[in-house]
Amino acid sequence: MRVVIAEDHVLLRDGLTRLLQAYDIEVVAAVADPVALAAAIDESPVDLAVVDVRMPPTFTTEGLAAAIDIRTRRPGMPVLVLSQYVEHLYARQLMASGDGGIGYLLKDRVADVDAFVDAVRRVADGGTVLDPKVVSRLLTRADRRRPMARLTGREREVLALMAEGRSNAAIAAALVVTEKAVGKHITNILTKLDLPGDPDDNRRVLAVLEYLRDADPDE
């Protein structure tokens, strides 16, 4: 796997590079700003971009804008965005940038090395990974309005794990239930949210998150 990293903090950039290399992931470039990120992606084929939300020159949303621009120029390009804080608006904007692998994690998740590397691989493979705190914020906001109110407590738990990109097997293990039970919960969730069933797990998660974005009363 070939990865480009865009992070302005030199220690974190170096740490991410060493971490990924330790797991046999090739870092083709590690840059500090959006301009260098675009150049690195244009110069060499990569499988994933890991991008900090806030980058020079204003340290507001340059990284997010760069990530979305990458996916505009290269539809389906996997991007994993890192953020210092829970900013659900950024997560929704990223999710709206098209199909393909998408990830949004808080930077403190990098400390859980195995989970972080797993997230990198899942996004590069076309999966969806959202930080649990972001999922919780989205669910809390969406739960103020129907039809989220139709879901049971267990169904909301399953939905949150789905949004994190978990497989049915992983959800079953987390909730200590059978995969068959998880399948039934997912069917119920899609039915109650008026979302059609889809055999593609990634599209199913994106459909649920699309609903959550539309349900946000602040939009």
Side-chain angles (χ1 to χ4, degrees), residues 176-212:
V176 194
V177 298
T178 65
E179 286 189 55
K180 183 177 180 180
V182 171
K184 289 183 178 179
H185 285 312
I186 292 173
T187 298
N188 290 340
I189 289 167
L190 295 175
T191 299
K192 290 179 179 181
L193 298 184
D194 301 319
L195 296 168
D198 192 312
D200 186 319
D201 290 338
N202 188 46
R203 288 185 180 279
R204 181 179 64 192
V205 172
L206 292 177
V208 173
L209 291 176
E210 182 66 35
Y211 170 79
L212 294 178

Side-chain angles (χ1 to χ4, degrees), residues 37-115:
L37 170 63
I41 289 177
D42 288 340
E43 290 174 3
S44 179
V46 297
D47 302 303
L48 171 72
V50 179
V51 184
D52 182 14
V53 164
R54 300 187 178 190
M55 299 182 69
T58 69
F59 297 95
T60 53
T61 61
E62 282 89 349
L64 177 68
I68 293 173
D69 179 64
I70 289 170
R71 290 171 59 78
T72 298
R73 292 188 293 112
R74 297 192 178 187
M77 171 75 186
V79 173
L80 173 59
V81 167
L82 300 178
S83 178
Q84 189 68 40
Y85 309 102
V86 176
E87 297 171 288
H88 63 276
L89 177 59
Y90 294 171
R92 293 200 307 277
Q93 289 177 337
L94 182 65
M95 296 299 295
S97 65
D99 293 336
I102 300 174
Y104 184 98
L105 293 178
L106 296 183
K107 288 186 176 180
D108 59 12
R109 301 294 173 189
V110 177
D112 187 343
V113 174
D114 289 339

